[in-house]
Amino acid sequence: MTDQNYTEINSRVIDSWVLEGWEWSQPISHEVFEKARNGDWHVVLTPTKPVPKDWFPEMKCADVLGLASGGGQQMPIFAALGARCTVLDYSEQQLKREQEVAEREGYNIRLVKADMTKPLPFDDESFDLIFHPVSNCYIEDVLPVWKECYRVLRKGGILLAGLDNGINYAFDEEETVVFRKLPFNPLKDPQLYEESIRKNWGIQFSHSIEEQIGGQLQAGFILTDIYQDTNGSGRLHEYNIPTFWATRAIKR
């Protein structure tokens, strides 16, 4: 089974989540923006752990791409630090959140609605930093994304990525029973596809360590650091079972 338009489905589903108050679509407040301007800030790639400050380059005047990073949470922080920010997202509602914060706080941001399964609409060596929170679980093949990230980064540029390690997809919704085999791929399982549509999950995919981290290495990146994180709530979190990774990689 295939559906060439699954990313369109995901765009509409995420728009609906945003309108329902999705936690990853709640823009930062003016107070948080002002704190960031004064050097008091943090951002996340995964649900709970702040990204270490030493993972970032000098942010003032850095060209930063927020890849599938709409929602008005991280990019406003980078703007407050003096970065020149671009955000690419396929959700119109997530981009609207970015625009709302930029207008409120009076900074410029380039908003790009695009599908990250396609070539990124940027010139070679356009950015110093790519910030890519957990989101490639909404695309089937991640290697082309890593290759595009490598292309649009400058030499020495940094890729910060949040990665779903796939464990969540093996469990039931109560996180008590392992009842699905991995990989999780609705495009190859008609019953799972129907369930995903019916429950408004969007079309999601589990990815292996070979795809997530091996793919970055295959694209040419050098991995410099990594940490793991939990869901932030639920049974797996209570048992401290890591369900996400965050990676820092640089372009040679």
Side-chain angles (χ1 to χ4, degrees):
M1 176 178 184
T2 60
D3 188 329
Q4 297 301 318
N5 297 316
Y6 78 87
T7 56
E8 297 281 352
I9 293 171
N10 286 342
S11 176
R12 293 193 298 270
V13 166
I14 290 173
D15 279 349
S16 74
W17 294 350
V18 174
L19 295 172
E20 292 167 1
W22 190 36
E23 64 177 311
W24 302 114
S25 67
Q26 303 300 310
I28 64 168
S29 66
H30 173 69
E31 291 71 24
V32 170
F33 183 84
E34 283 298 316
K35 284 184 177 180
R37 290 182 63 184
N38 292 314
D40 179 7
W41 62 278
H42 75 274
V43 292
V44 296
L45 285 161
T46 56
T48 74
K49 290 186 179 179
V51 181
K53 296 285 180 61
D54 62 5
W55 279 26
F56 292 89
E58 169 57 51
M59 295 299 282
K60 187 171 179 59
C61 296
D63 291 307
V64 177
L65 171 62
L67 181 59
S69 184
Q73 297 187 342
Q74 299 102 14
M75 304 310 290
I77 297 290
F78 301 149
L81 298 175
R84 295 186 289 260
C85 295
T86 299
V87 59
L88 182 148
D89 208 291
Y90 210 23
S91 163
E92 190 74 38
Q93 292 297 327
Q94 285 289 75
L95 291 173
K96 283 183 179 179
R97 297 299 182 272
E98 292 290 343
Q99 185 66 45
E100 288 167 8
V101 182
E103 290 177 355
R104 186 187 74 204
E105 303 299 346
Y107 62 83
N108 293 320
I109 186 168
R110 180 164 51 149
L111 304 176
V112 179
K113 183 179 181 182
D115 180 349
M116 68 177 170
T117 67
K118 309 290 195 298
L120 298 180
F122 309 114
D123 293 337
D124 295 356
E125 301 185 359
S126 294
F127 299 101
D128 303 299
L129 171 69
I130 295 176
F131 193 85
H132 180 47
V134 175
S135 54
N136 68 24
C137 51
Y138 301 107
I139 63 173
E140 186 176 22
D141 185 6
V142 298
L143 181 58
V145 175
W146 301 139
K147 289 180 175 179
E148 280 294 282
C149 287
Y150 194 88
R151 179 183 67 80
V152 304
L153 275 172
R154 297 177 179 129
K155 187 174 181 179
I158 299 168
L159 169 66
L160 304 184
L163 310 170
D164 187 312
N165 70 16
I167 290 175
N168 279 308
Y169 293 104
F171 280 82
D172 65 344
E173 292 180 62
E174 288 73 36
E175 300 180 3
T176 57
V177 177
V178 176
F179 80 124
R180 282 196 195 94
K181 292 182 178 179
L182 297 180
F184 183 100
N185 185 338
L187 298 187
K188 295 181 178 178
D189 182 337
Q191 185 176 349
L192 183 56
Y193 185 93
E194 188 278 331
E195 183 181 13
S196 297
I197 295 296
R198 178 166 44 85
K199 294 186 176 179
N200 204 41
W201 292 343
I203 307 303
Q204 300 189 38
F205 306 88
S206 67
H207 295 297
S208 66
I209 193 170
E210 290 89 348
E211 294 173 279
Q212 295 281 43
I213 296 176
Q216 293 183 42
L217 302 178
Q218 187 177 340
F221 284 102
I222 299 171
L223 187 69
T224 64
D225 208 352
I226 189 169
Y227 62 85
Q228 60 189 19
D229 198 3
T230 68
N231 288 333
S233 62
R235 189 170 176 82
L236 295 178
H237 170 74
E238 291 168 5
Y239 280 82
N240 199 35
I241 294 173
T243 48
F244 297 95
W245 303 310
T247 56
R248 181 185 189 272
I250 60 172
K251 179 173 178 174
R252 305 171 195 256

